[in-house]
Amino acid sequence: MQHEMTETPGKQAKAPASGLRLLGAFGKSLGGRATISSIVLVALGALIAPSTVSASAFLSLLPFVAILAVVSIGQHLVIQQRGLDISVAGIMSFAAVIVTKLPSAGASNNEILGWIALALVSGLVAGAVNGVVITLLRVPALVTTIGVNAVLFGVALLVSGGVPSGAPPQLASFAINLTLGVPNTIWIALAAGAVAIFITERTTIGRRFVAVSVSAPAAHAVAIPVERYRIGTYMAAGLLYAVGGVMLAGYLSVPNIFAGNFYILATVAAVVVGGNSVAGGARGSILATMIGAFFLTFLSQLVLSAGLDRSMQNVVQALIVIGGVGLPMLFARPRARAAAAAAPRAAASATDAVPIMLGAKPGAVPVLELKGIRKSFGPVDALKNVSFTALPGEIHAVLG
């Protein structure tokens, strides 16, 4: 009877626990909180401004969703590494200037592809500068990226003369055209998201990237080149910003020199809406960040459709970022106080429990004995000359 009483609750609890795990995995795969927030916002839009949920409205919205999604992936990667990248605006604007101002009149497809390649390389170089200065010179990320952003805007103004130029017809045509009924920009965003998710979730590089973001000292201890990964993160982000700048130039046809400024706050807000920690360090969801980009873009359209001033977009985005940073800190304080108060009680309970723990009988023969154990990972010794003996009746816990 005692056996049945101890086993039955476990069997009863197993199904709900499995169900919760399945529900959690399902929610994570669909972007979790970002998906729910987007559904609620679209439903609200249907009530406030029904025109915002029409097929034509969504079709006109998607290119802007795609551009914000691509650059938000870059910001997501940087934030996951406990950084913040303000240079998103400068890189986007500089890339846009390259593909609009520098091509000659009547430029061939090959020439345009060459300028696009130069724009993407410029994003990589700017990201590399960010990464090197932040990682090797130990300059704070905020200071570094603000400086790089200012330099890029200065160069963009110098190259363009402060006058916007039109994008080549081939680039503009590609940006506004559809493939299989879907804007080409969306296909680019989906490709960028798929590559980023595959690398971070399914490759050794991705696992090391996550290890560096969670604990750089621990990653360094197992011979992961932490500095190289951090520099590479800023380079990947710079490349994605440049891709977004080229997409923006093509879709707007005649982009403003400072068109990238909108994306500084918007990319951080997309990360927050996706439920990812602005403090970094956790295993964030890139898909959730992309859904957050849809949420913000639709919110902008809803604000305009409701007759509110365009500046309200910035106000709402700022509130989202402030809430995303402040609320977790606010809720963390009561939990920390409760944990501190519970610690003495837990220690006392553990002390009281010691006398009733099972112990080994005198003269017992070991059931397991290990001597001189060694385990290494490359140049790092995890275990060295370790011995262990387990006697009958002893209770051990292996923690790692």
Side-chain angles (χ1 to χ4, degrees):
M1 179 64 68
Q2 184 177 1
H3 176 73
E4 292 177 357
M5 290 178 65
T6 56
E7 288 294 319
T8 301
K11 291 180 180 178
Q12 291 176 345
K14 187 174 182 180
S18 300
L20 289 174
R21 286 195 296 269
L22 181 61
L23 183 62
F26 181 72
K28 183 179 180 182
S29 66
L30 294 180
R33 190 173 72 184
T35 302
I36 296 173
S37 300
S38 298
I39 293 172
V40 171
L41 183 65
V42 170
L44 183 64
L47 295 175
I48 297 176
S51 61
T52 60
V53 295
S54 65
S56 59
F58 277 118
L59 196 60
S60 64
L61 188 74
L62 288 179
F64 295 103
V65 174
I67 295 168
L68 179 56
V70 169
V71 294
S72 294
I73 294 171
Q75 190 72 268
H76 173 104
L77 296 176
V78 170
I79 288 176
Q80 193 170 341
Q81 291 291 339
R82 306 176 189 272
L84 183 65
D85 199 344
I86 305 299
S87 65
V88 53
I91 294 175
M92 289 184 71
S93 294
F94 185 55
V97 166
I98 290 176
V99 297
T100 56
K101 186 69 176 180
L102 299 183
S104 59
S108 64
N109 291 340
N110 289 337
E111 181 184 345
I112 294 171
L113 289 175
W115 290 118
I116 291 175
L118 178 62
L120 301 185
V121 170
S122 70
L124 277 172
V125 172
V129 171
N130 281 332
V132 168
V133 173
I134 293 168
T135 304
L136 301 184
L137 302 184
R138 311 296 182 188
V139 179
L142 186 63
V143 175
T144 300
T145 55
I146 286 177
V148 171
N149 188 65
V151 170
L152 289 173
F153 268 125
V155 176
L157 286 170
L158 182 64
V159 172
S160 65
V163 179
S165 299
Q170 299 96 316
L171 179 60
S173 176
F174 176 83
I176 63 175
N177 283 342
L178 310 179
T179 299
L180 301 177
V182 178
N184 289 331
T185 48
I186 284 290
W187 291 115
I188 295 174
L190 291 176
V195 170
I197 292 171
F198 176 79
I199 291 175
T200 55
E201 297 287 339
R202 300 293 180 183
T203 67
T204 301
I205 292 175
R207 288 190 289 271
R208 290 178 176 178
F209 168 83
V210 173
V212 172
S213 67
V214 172
S215 175
H220 179 74
V222 293
I224 294 177
V226 173
E227 294 178 342
R228 206 176 301 170
Y229 271 84
R230 284 186 168 165
I231 294 172
T233 297
Y234 280 96
M235 291 179 67
L239 175 63
L240 289 166
Y241 302 155
V243 171
V246 173
M247 293 166 64
L248 184 66
Y251 190 76
L252 296 182
S253 188
V254 185
N256 186 283
I257 302 298
F258 298 99
N261 276 337
F262 166 80
Y263 293 89
I264 297 177
L265 190 57
T267 53
V268 179
V271 175
V272 172
V273 171
N276 300 296
S277 173
V278 182
R283 193 184 187 94
S285 170
I286 292 175
L287 176 60
T289 292
M290 296 178 71
I291 296 173
F294 168 82
F295 176 93
L296 291 170
T297 309
F298 184 82
L299 179 63
S300 298
Q301 178 174 284
L302 186 59
V303 165
L304 296 178
S305 298
L308 299 177
D309 189 81
R310 185 179 294 272
S311 61
M312 283 300 297
Q313 299 178 38
N314 293 332
V315 173
V316 173
Q317 290 174 6
L319 291 175
I320 289 173
V321 173
I322 292 171
V325 175
L327 290 179
M329 296 177 63
L330 183 64
F331 292 144
R333 290 175 182 174
R335 288 198 298 268
R337 286 195 294 266
R345 294 195 298 271
S349 299
T351 303
D352 294 340
V354 170
I356 64 172
M357 291 179 65
L358 296 177
K361 296 179 180 180
V365 178
V367 294
L368 176 65
E369 189 172 12
L370 305 174
K371 294 182 179 180
I373 300 300
R374 182 179 183 273
K375 176 63 178 175
S376 63
F377 297 90
V380 179
D381 286 327
L383 300 175
K384 189 174 182 180
N385 196 26
V386 173
S387 298
F388 173 77
T389 301
L391 297 173
E394 287 186 326
I395 297 177
H396 295 275
V398 180
L399 305 179

